């Protein structure tokens, strides 16, 4: 699974299970195929990204600036935030700048991750997408 896919799963898992999230995908059900979401359906439909991440931050002992930092956002959802992991995420999301300029890459990554969350159906405030 992609790094961004894992990040979405962490947020979706927290949204659907509240504070009992383990970060694991929910178990499959035997629901009829007619009730299954379409292949292109938004993955994060009706998920208030800011509310979920704010709740996660309130429950976290660390003071993480997830609103501005990709490192802190990744830490908040329980993901590896190493430079190599961020470089891989940048490659995955189509970053064309130099990954040696980590400050510029991190700023781009943060904005791009929020945009991608919105593109996948998540509710992200407009001021966080600027």
């Amino acid at each position: 699974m992609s790094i961004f896919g894992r990040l979405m799963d962490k947020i979706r898992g927290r949204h659907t299970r509240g504070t009992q999230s383990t970060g694991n995908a929910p178990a499959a059900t035997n629901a009829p195929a007619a009730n299954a979401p379409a292949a292109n359906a938004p993955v994060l439909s009706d998920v208030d990204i800011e509310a979920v991440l704010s709740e996660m931050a309130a429950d976290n002992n660390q003071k993480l600036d997830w609103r501005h930092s990709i490192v802190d956002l990744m830490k908040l959802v329980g993901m590896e935030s190493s430079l190599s992991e961020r470089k891989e995420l940048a490659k995955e999301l189509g970053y064309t700048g130099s990954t040696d300029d980590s400050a510029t890459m991190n700023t781009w990554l943060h904005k791009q991750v929020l945009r991608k969350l919105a593109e996948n159906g998540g509710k992200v405030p407009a001021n966080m997408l600027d």
Side-chain angles (χ1 to χ4, degrees), residues 51-94:
V52 170
L53 294 175
S54 292
E55 180 182 324
M56 291 175 85
D59 292 345
N60 194 303
N61 293 334
Q62 291 182 299
K63 183 174 167 60
L64 299 171
D65 186 15
W66 65 267
R67 284 181 168 84
H68 302 102
S69 166
I70 188 64
V71 172
D72 285 359
L73 190 144
M74 292 174 81
K75 285 181 181 180
L76 180 64
V77 299
M79 294 180 66
E80 170 67 38
S81 63
S82 67
L83 180 57
S84 62
E85 193 78 356
R86 285 179 279 125
K87 284 182 176 184
E88 186 64 30
L89 178 59
K91 180 180 174 185
E92 181 182 307
L93 297 179

Side-chain angles (χ1 to χ4, degrees), residues 42-49 116-124:
V43 178
L44 296 169
S45 183
D46 297 325
V47 176
D48 183 335
I49 301 299
K116 290 289 187 185
L117 290 170
E119 287 174 13
N120 281 279
K123 295 177 184 175
V124 180

Side-chain angles (χ1 to χ4, degrees), residues 4 11 44 47-50 53 66-68 73 107-130:
F4 180 73
I11 292 171
L44 296 169
V47 176
D48 183 335
I49 301 299
E50 183 177 31
L53 294 175
W66 65 267
R67 284 181 168 84
H68 302 102
L73 190 144
T107 299
W108 182 89
L109 267 176
H110 189 266
K111 290 180 184 294
Q112 192 65 19
V113 163
L114 292 173
R115 284 186 189 116
K116 290 289 187 185
L117 290 170
E119 287 174 13
N120 281 279
K123 295 177 184 175
V124 180
N127 67 335
M128 294 182 79
L129 297 173
D130 295 339

Side-chain angles (χ1 to χ4, degrees), residues 7-35:
L7 190 140
M8 279 196 313
D9 279 352
K10 300 270 187 181
I11 292 171
R12 184 177 47 242
R14 177 66 178 234
H15 172 73
T16 58
R17 289 183 292 260
T19 58
Q20 300 302 314
S21 175
T22 62
N24 296 325
T29 64
N30 292 328
N35 292 337

